[in-house]
Amino acid sequence: MELLGGTGADLPNAVRVGERGLSRGELLRWASAVAAEIQGAPAVAVHATASPETIAAVLGGLLAGVPVVPLPPDSGPAERAHILGDSGARLVLAARGAHEPADGEPPLVPVDALPRDGALAHAEPPADATAFVLYTSGTTGAPKGVLLSRGAVAAGLDALAEAWAWTPGDTVVHGLPLFHVHGLVLGVLGPLRVGSPLVHTVRPRPEAYAAAGGSLYFGVPTVWSRVAAEPGTARALRSARLLVSGSAPLPVPVFERLAELTGQSPIERYGMTETLITVSTRAGGERRAGHVGLPLPGVRTRLAAEDGTPAAHDGETPGELQVRAPMLFDGYLNRPEATAQAFTPDGWFRTGDIAVIGADGWHRIVGRASTDLIKSGGYRIGAGEVENALLAHPAVREAAVIGTPHADLGEQVTAYVVADGATEAQLIAFVAASLSAHKRPRTVHLVESLPRNAMGKVVKTRLG
């Protein structure tokens, strides 16, 4: 199994990052020189800026069969030290001047100083060899290294290519970070495996998306919200074949606005670092606001109630989403106990996400079990449903809902809202008019902004 797949057309700008373009052949020869430099290392870290150097470094690791550890370029000293120490990386790959190793860090390999004429013949590592060690966000402790095999990556990309009718004739456009599954695995390895050109806009600016002339666009909800807020930019995407949203739920008003301005509803999909993408809307199928679609080929899903018994697939009953799939990770590096806890006794991965599945198999993600399932007065309330109700108010720009302690109810629904001119009482009444009374927020905090991570997800642990 060759991870990079078919070649496609070797265009002069088969891979373009900002103003810098490379043909596929140029990129692979550069990556081959990287591979020769790092051959035999137990693991290498890549200072993952949005640059051709990052892509060449990652591909060099894959060609050499050396596990790649992407490093967020904005990571602090403690986070970097943890990732480098835990992963066992013996080298850091980066462009000259992009990263200065701190005392005790592995030595730097200057990717931009390497020749770009490496030999293209490489022995293909086995499918079960580790391709990546990707670190989780660390919201529940120190970041854990997720072991993703070459076979898992290939299976995930092939399933998406089928679901999205993704071919070498597509041009992929995005500006997402290259240290996450979304931007790196889907957004870089996907085009290389399928053989389609890639345009990386460095940053996911709406005007850059509009000017790129692509057919397949990737973005997170924050990106699509900004696109939807600029009608001229959104209309420039009418010629695109698919607009794909992921990494967090897409608010229903943004879904509807994009459909109105671009002439097509966006594609939504669901995944996480440990699973890659497992559920998605299909290119040629129905697209429902607030839903992430159906399991990909080879994927099985189920819902578990709090007591472990099966939850009904009735479109209403929430449960923890559990997954079996060929694109699952191989465990957490150096964390056998955490790995064991992540799976049920019969081998299903516990995603920690709360979902609802309809009788027709359509999936809707309610949120994380730890932060988005609110237990109030005997009711189980999904934060996402309340957030979408708030976002339907014309004055609301952003909304995040959590459960906070309540002496009588156990937890109460509490909202943090960025709004122009609306009052707390107006917003509570607005939600009460569309949802059941027990789902309305009891408290609304009007704030100037919501805390977000690099992928645009709201960090709910920082609310309050």
Side-chain angles (χ1 to χ4, degrees):
M1 176 218 62
E2 186 163 347
L3 183 55
L4 298 183
T7 60
D10 196 18
L11 305 172
N13 288 314
V15 175
R16 180 155 58 90
V17 183
E19 300 301 317
R20 302 171 63 190
L22 294 167
S23 73
R24 183 186 177 96
E26 289 171 331
L27 176 60
L28 290 177
R29 286 191 292 273
W30 190 5
S32 294
V34 174
E37 190 76 14
I38 65 174
Q39 196 76 46
V44 294
V46 175
H47 185 71
T49 58
S51 66
E53 284 79 12
T54 292
I55 296 175
V58 169
L59 294 186
L62 295 176
L63 291 176
V66 175
V68 174
V69 185
L71 278 174
D74 60 350
S75 56
E79 182 183 2
R80 289 184 66 85
H82 170 73
I83 292 174
L84 290 170
D86 187 67
S87 68
R90 292 294 179 263
L91 299 167
V92 176
L93 310 184
R96 288 171 292 186
H99 168 68
E100 292 297 330
D103 290 344
E105 286 190 0
L108 176 70
V109 174
V111 177
D112 55 333
L114 296 176
R116 304 192 185 187
D117 57 357
L120 294 180
H122 291 273
E124 182 69 17
D128 60 358
T130 298
F132 292 102
V133 184
L134 292 171
Y135 277 80
T136 61
S137 60
T139 55
T140 57
K144 298 188 291 291
V146 174
L147 298 169
L148 287 174
S149 72
R150 301 172 72 88
V153 171
L157 294 176
D158 289 348
L160 285 178
E162 180 180 336
W164 297 344
W166 185 355
T167 73
D170 282 305
T171 294
V172 175
V173 178
H174 73 92
L176 301 172
L178 299 186
F179 48 88
H180 285 297
V181 162
H182 196 168
L184 180 58
V185 177
L186 273 66
V188 173
L189 295 191
L192 288 170
R193 183 165 178 81
V194 171
S196 55
L198 165 65
V199 176
H200 193 286
T201 61
V202 181
R203 294 184 181 279
R205 299 187 305 272
E207 63 273 18
Y209 275 36
S215 62
L216 183 55
Y217 284 78
F218 295 161
V220 297
T222 302
V223 173
W224 294 122
S225 178
R226 292 170 181 169
V227 169
E230 299 182 14
T233 298
R235 292 190 184 100
L237 302 181
R238 292 183 73 90
S239 61
R241 189 173 67 81
L242 292 179
L243 310 178
V244 181
S245 183
S247 297
L250 183 67
V252 170
V254 177
F255 180 102
E256 294 172 343
R257 183 66 170 157
L258 281 175
E260 174 189 346
L261 292 171
T262 68
Q264 64 164 304
S265 299
I267 288 280
E268 293 190 71
R269 87 299 184 283
Y270 166 80
M272 54 195 306
T273 305
E274 291 91 337
T275 68
L276 300 180
I277 309 306
T278 52
V279 181
S280 179
T281 307
R282 302 304 197 264
E286 181 184 358
R287 305 175 193 183
R288 299 180 191 173
H291 291 72
V292 293
L294 300 162
L296 292 175
V299 175
R300 289 188 291 157
T301 62
R302 70 184 187 187
L303 294 180
E306 286 184 277
D307 61 2
T309 60
H313 292 194
D314 57 7
E316 295 291 337
T317 304
E320 183 194 42
L321 183 63
Q322 299 179 352
V323 176
R324 298 193 79 159
M327 58 280 288
L328 286 185
F329 76 133
D330 289 330
Y332 297 111
L333 180 65
N334 304 324
R335 304 283 199 284
E337 291 185 3
T339 301
Q341 292 170 1
F343 289 86
T344 64
D346 57 346
W348 291 70
F349 176 68
R350 308 176 193 266
T351 67
D353 285 322
I354 302 302
V356 171
I357 302 177
D360 57 1
W362 273 72
H363 289 51
R364 178 166 56 88
I365 306 300
V366 175
R368 294 294 292 170
S370 57
T371 57
D372 293 324
L373 186 64
I374 303 167
K375 301 170 186 176
S376 181
Y379 293 101
R380 302 172 78 212
I381 303 163
E385 184 178 17
V386 184
E387 289 163 357
N388 276 325
L390 285 163
L391 287 165
H393 192 287
V396 173
R397 289 188 281 122
E398 297 180 80
V401 170
I402 61 173
T404 56
H406 188 278
D408 179 45
L409 299 173
E411 286 186 307
Q412 68 172 21
V413 178
T414 299
Y416 291 79
V417 176
V418 180
D420 299 316
T423 67
E424 177 184 11
Q426 288 171 337
L427 294 175
I428 292 173
F430 183 79
V431 174
S434 60
L435 298 181
S436 301
H438 65 270
K439 296 179 180 179
R440 74 186 189 283
R442 289 182 171 262
T443 301
V444 173
H445 299 284
L446 297 170
V447 296
E448 292 185 359
S449 64
L450 299 177
R452 295 182 181 273
N453 63 17
M455 291 301 289
K457 293 182 183 179
V458 175
V459 183
K460 293 192 174 183
T461 54
R462 289 166 53 190
L463 294 173

